[in-house]
Amino acid sequence: MTKNYLEIPEELYNKLSDYAENDQLSIRLENQQILLENPKINHTNKQNLALHYFIVPSLASGIIALLIFLSTNHPQIAFTGSRHLSVASLSIILSTLFGFFGFIWTYLRKSCDLSKSKFKIFRETLTLSVAYTSISFAVQIIFWYIIGKTFNGVTFDPFTAGFLVLVFVGIIFYFLISAALSITLPNLILLLFTTFIGGILVSMATNNQKDWWQHNFSFLGTGEATQHWQFNITLIFSALILLTITDFLFAEFSKSSLYNYKFKIIRIFYILIAFLIAFVGIFPAQSWTMPIHNNSAFGLVAVVLIMIIFLKWLVPTISKEFLALSWTALIALILSAVAFMGIHYLSLTVFEIIAFAIAFTWLVMFINSLRGIIQEGNEWQVKLLQK
């Protein structure tokens, strides 16, 4: 009888031994990848888990909505609109509340790393739950705005309206539970971009009539701006998400043989940058907070410049392409500074946007480059044998 073997390096064998149960491993194919896992690990599909978790909150929201609709004594309940409670308003409120606490419960149950401190676990969980819930809230606002324009004046009886609330809350809750079960570094990077870019664009749009660009970029976070809290909260939460990404990245890096004191320095840089971004939002560009705000903003760009200058020393294995891109970013930052302070070609607003955009984009791209280095360090050559 022919026997088939898989010849693997000793280093890989030692790593697999940590996951084996009585020297047994299960193997499966998923998304064109081969996965080796402990056979006793529960392979329940994430979709099934999400379905299991979302049933009770969805039913509860439907019952709550029905009781509220019945208590209003209105024979017909509006699909959308603000004249009285509607399917849209209750769906948004209940899905946001249930989704927020459901995300926290699911994430702690599925993804909690016992090696992390309680403070890091608390910060990470709260940050992700608020970020994902806020995104779902924004999506619902847009969705119901379109529905309101499409189905203007549509009403339902309380029982049908309560059932519709159940359905819509279930959809949002399913999305949030699935997100909590699927937190990965690429997902966090996408979340960072979504939160930062979305929050900034909303701040720009709400201040359009105030001609904010004639002042400076930081005007969006001052008391003179319309709903200035949006700009400041965006920066603060972007900083918290960046801290979470840093934790994820270097927790994975610390298990690699490539991890050394230079990567610890990079980690310190990222933590410092996150604090500087948060300070820009915590201390608006007004009154006594102006010096802290300005120093934080310039400090952010300065740290990025230092990282680019010492990049080859910090990460000797960095690709030539990314190194060239980094120096291009460095030159662009210097030229924009000269164009603003030297020849006064750029306005303060344009300079701030260019500098912040370059720095932020480079930081995210550097995270992806580091992640690529980690993946390269976790690759081994194996051989198929048949005897």
Side-chain angles (χ1 to χ4, degrees), residues 323-385:
L323 191 62
L325 179 66
S326 300
W327 281 102
T328 302
L330 176 68
I331 294 171
L333 284 171
I334 294 174
L335 289 177
S336 61
V338 171
F340 166 62
M341 294 181 288
I343 60 178
H344 306 292
Y345 176 74
L346 297 178
S347 66
L348 175 58
T349 302
V350 175
F351 169 67
E352 287 180 326
I353 292 175
I354 291 175
F356 213 80
I358 292 174
F360 182 78
T361 304
W362 183 86
L363 287 170
V364 174
M365 294 181 69
F366 188 33
I367 289 173
N368 274 323
S369 295
L370 292 175
R371 180 169 165 265
I373 292 174
I374 296 174
Q375 292 175 336
E376 290 175 2
N378 289 331
E379 291 182 2
W380 293 271
Q381 297 296 321
V382 300
K383 184 183 295 185
L384 293 173
L385 301 176

Side-chain angles (χ1 to χ4, degrees), residues 266-299:
I266 296 173
R267 183 174 193 169
I268 292 172
F269 275 138
Y270 267 99
I271 293 174
L272 177 60
I273 286 169
F275 276 103
L276 290 172
I277 293 174
F279 285 167
V280 172
I282 294 172
F283 302 100
Q286 56 190 25
S287 64
W288 65 271
T289 61
M290 180 70 81
I292 303 176
H293 178 92
N294 289 340
N295 289 330
S296 298
F298 283 114

